Amino acid sequence: MALRDILDMIFSVIKTAEPVDILDILVLSYVVYLGMKLVRETRAGQLLKGVFLLILVYIISAWINMKAISYLLSETLNIGLIALIILFQPELRRTLEKAGYTKLGLRFSSSSNVDSSVWSRTIDVICDACVELSATSTGALIVIERQTRLGEQIDNGTILDAIPSKELFGNIFFNKTPLHDGAVIIRDGKILAAACFLPKPQKEELINKRLGSRHRAAIGMSENSDAVVIVVSEETGAISVAENGVLKSGFTRESLHQLLTARLITAGEETTIGRVAKKIPFLKRNHKDDGKEKAYAQESVEEPTEKDITEEPEVRK
């Protein structure tokens, strides 16, 4: 009889459901999915397991009338939210920043107004400069700003506001110049600042010990922003790229050019609807743009394959 009552309740809810209720459920499900995904990629994932365990113990203790344990757990859970905000303030800040520039797929910065030809020329110069620096084993650290503004890092560097060129990169990273110790930050296709200091990675103890300070700074910068960070190793001359806290090495000129084109040009040409559709798993990735169908699952610019790059140990938030 109880099962029948439950089924009757479910059917009554379904009969009274309206289209807006279905939309409400879908949006809520997607928000929960995003929350679980974000938590899983941070240290808070392990913490939530402990919180759920405390809640389970509290329910059991209250059920069997264990007053002392119930009282202590109740007080702990009451102040738990404030404690979590204090303990995980860096993770929460990065999560909100990440949600601001990726989850809705919207662009608010002026970099979206930069002509693609400017980025095309800049990408060619960056790739040529990295190849030359790699050939001479000259260490380099190049940060390409995207949606997250890097004003804090720019302020501690030297403002240049110069048009990129191979010669300029060579002069900046030559080990006898005052600007070589630090990162170059590129905004809107121009070299905005040099000798900039970048934040340290959050899980520095998990990074391969063979990686130097440039690679660690690249990982830290990519953890705190959506920037694409390019590193040229001073020891081996290898070209590496850090994104979202993950460092990949072994790039050639071609694979680096493909990656930068995909991040800076192809991504910028997508419409807002297309970017939102790509973020929602249950929506198709194909849509009509200006009367023409564009299959986003098949981009003209391919990602570097496993043959092109070798992945370093992943350092995720």
Side-chain angles (χ1 to χ4, degrees), residues 28 48 63 90 120 125 135 153 212 249 257 259 274 280 300:
L28 180 60
L48 283 183
W63 180 53
S120 180
V125 171
Q153 287 72 39
S249 63
H257 192 281
L259 177 67
I280 303 178
S300 59

Side-chain angles (χ1 to χ4, degrees), residues 86-234:
I86 295 174
L87 290 174
F88 289 90
Q89 183 271 334
E91 282 79 5
L92 291 173
R93 178 177 58 82
R94 289 197 302 272
T95 298
L96 292 175
E97 289 177 351
K98 187 175 181 181
Y101 63 72
T102 63
K103 295 306 170 187
L104 295 179
L106 302 175
R107 290 179 176 267
F108 298 100
S109 66
S110 60
S111 60
S112 59
N113 298 323
V114 178
D115 192 88
S116 60
S117 61
V118 175
W119 275 120
S120 180
R121 179 188 177 279
T122 301
I123 290 172
D124 289 335
V125 171
I126 292 174
C127 293
D128 292 339
C130 288
V131 170
E132 291 192 2
L133 294 170
S134 174
T136 58
S137 293
T138 302
L141 184 57
I142 303 173
V143 180
I144 303 176
E145 183 187 73
R146 298 175 70 191
Q147 298 308 304
T148 304
R149 289 302 191 183
L150 307 179
E152 183 178 349
Q153 287 72 39
I154 292 171
D155 289 341
N156 63 44
T158 301
I159 301 298
L160 297 181
D161 196 18
I163 297 175
S165 66
K166 293 188 298 181
E167 295 76 14
L168 182 55
F169 278 116
N171 286 335
I172 291 175
F173 292 115
F174 181 61
N175 60 8
K176 301 298 182 182
T177 61
L179 299 178
H180 84 280
D181 190 14
V184 164
I185 295 181
I186 296 178
R187 172 186 289 178
D188 298 342
K190 298 177 69 176
I191 298 178
L192 183 58
C196 301
F197 293 98
L198 306 183
K200 294 182 179 180
Q202 295 297 317
K203 297 183 179 180
E204 193 168 6
E205 68 278 2
L206 300 180
I207 300 177
N208 194 322
K209 302 299 182 182
R210 295 176 299 173
L211 297 179
S213 58
R214 286 190 179 90
H215 296 83
R216 294 171 184 270
I219 293 173
M221 187 73 264
S222 66
E223 284 180 342
N224 287 273
S225 70
D226 64 338
V228 178
V229 188
I230 306 171
V231 187
V232 179
S233 174
E234 189 174 356

Side-chain angles (χ1 to χ4, degrees), residues 73-88:
L73 290 177
S74 176
E75 294 299 318
T76 301
L77 293 175
N78 285 337
I79 64 172
L81 180 60
I82 299 176
L84 290 179
I85 294 176
I86 295 174
L87 290 174
F88 289 90

